[in-house]
Amino acid sequence: MRRKLAAGNWKMNGLSGALGEAVALAAAHPAPGIDILLCPPATLLDRMADSVHGSKVAVGGQDCHPLVSGAHTGDISAEMLADAGASYVILGHSERRADHGETDALIRAKTEAALAAGLAAVVCVGETEAQRDAGETLAVVGAQLAGSLPDAGVSAETLVVAYEPVWAIGTGRVPTLEQIAEVHDSLRAALKDRFGATADGIRLLYGGSVKPGNAAEIFATSNVDGALVGGASLKASDFSAIIAALEAAPE
């Protein structure tokens, strides 16, 4: 049985005062029936890890460099994230792919680095609006999945896959439940083809304008094991409502 996961991606948001939201979230869910993850900006990572230490809230990074160390100004290695208290890292988010030109090959290298450092990788895939309109969604997402994952080190504990249609991120637009199920079912099939029985335990998250008002129906959809949440994860009250919906979702 896959344990569901509610992951919050704070993106480039949050100053010191926002750490109270993480503390409030941990206090609101002392014994959750699911896994909870917050990925703050790197400037807050170690302090957030300290603030929720001993709770059921895990902390993760938003990106890592594929190398352990070196002359890479402004970059952060997976080992540095782990040293700061992270247990997960988000990789291949569409904003990284678009804003920084990240390729599947680079994301694969970063994933390998994350696994080597003992981090679980949340690898993101998703199509643009133009690709959706052209009927290319499954081909695009399948190619991203194939190119972004390493062949070794993948397990239910080390890999999470997040489907985030680019056109739905932060726009308020959400695919139909049938569209979400089609992609998630396709991802599960592709993972099984590549990793066999291991794929049964790999969690598939949906991301893209997930809010308290639409969470329950999304979580009842085929092969949706949780969510990668953006803006709605910045406030403990909003994220708590999504967590509650996921806890109540059918197995």
Side-chain angles (χ1 to χ4, degrees):
M1 185 65 67
R2 295 185 296 273
R3 184 170 170 86
K4 298 179 185 296
L5 171 63
N9 178 14
W10 279 20
K11 306 188 181 184
M12 197 173 71
N13 296 290
L15 303 178
S16 298
L19 291 170
E21 298 295 335
V23 174
L25 188 73
H29 300 278
I34 64 168
D35 290 339
I36 301 172
L37 169 66
L38 287 177
C39 296
T43 53
L44 296 182
L45 182 58
D46 60 340
R47 284 179 287 169
M48 182 177 287
D50 286 343
S51 71
V52 300
H53 181 71
S55 77
K56 297 299 183 179
V57 175
V59 175
Q62 296 179 15
D63 182 46
C64 72
H65 195 277
L67 297 180
V68 173
S69 61
H72 304 285
T73 302
D75 283 313
I76 299 174
S77 72
E79 283 76 7
M80 290 172 177
L81 294 177
D83 184 61
S87 52
Y88 290 78
V89 60
I90 299 170
L91 297 170
H93 193 281
S94 63
E95 290 157 2
R96 297 290 310 180
R97 292 177 185 264
D99 296 349
H100 299 273
E102 294 195 358
T103 64
D104 294 336
L106 176 59
I107 294 159
R108 177 176 177 145
K110 290 184 175 188
T111 303
E112 291 171 338
L115 302 186
L119 299 178
V122 181
V123 178
C124 301
V125 297
E127 83 283 10
T128 65
E129 185 173 31
Q131 290 165 336
R132 162 66 68 175
D133 291 343
E136 299 171 349
T137 295
L138 296 185
V140 168
V141 171
Q144 289 176 343
L145 186 75
S148 300
L149 300 185
D151 293 317
V154 170
S155 70
E157 293 73 35
T158 61
L159 177 65
V160 178
V161 175
Y163 167 56
E164 292 199 312
V166 178
W167 49 273
I169 299 172
T171 65
R173 297 180 59 197
V174 181
T176 66
L177 300 181
E178 291 76 17
Q179 289 172 330
I180 295 173
E182 179 186 39
V183 175
H184 278 241
D185 290 349
S186 177
L187 289 172
R188 180 73 64 201
L191 289 169
K192 285 185 177 181
D193 286 344
R194 185 166 177 185
F195 300 112
T198 297
D200 291 331
I202 295 173
R203 292 175 288 187
L204 299 180
L205 309 184
Y206 171 75
S209 295
V210 178
K211 297 179 173 61
N214 62 20
E217 62 179 10
I218 291 173
F219 295 151
T221 303
S222 174
N223 273 312
V224 175
D225 303 312
L228 181 56
V229 182
S233 69
L234 294 172
K235 294 293 182 182
S237 56
D238 291 337
F239 201 26
S240 287
I242 294 172
I243 290 168
L246 185 55
E247 288 180 313
E251 295 294 339

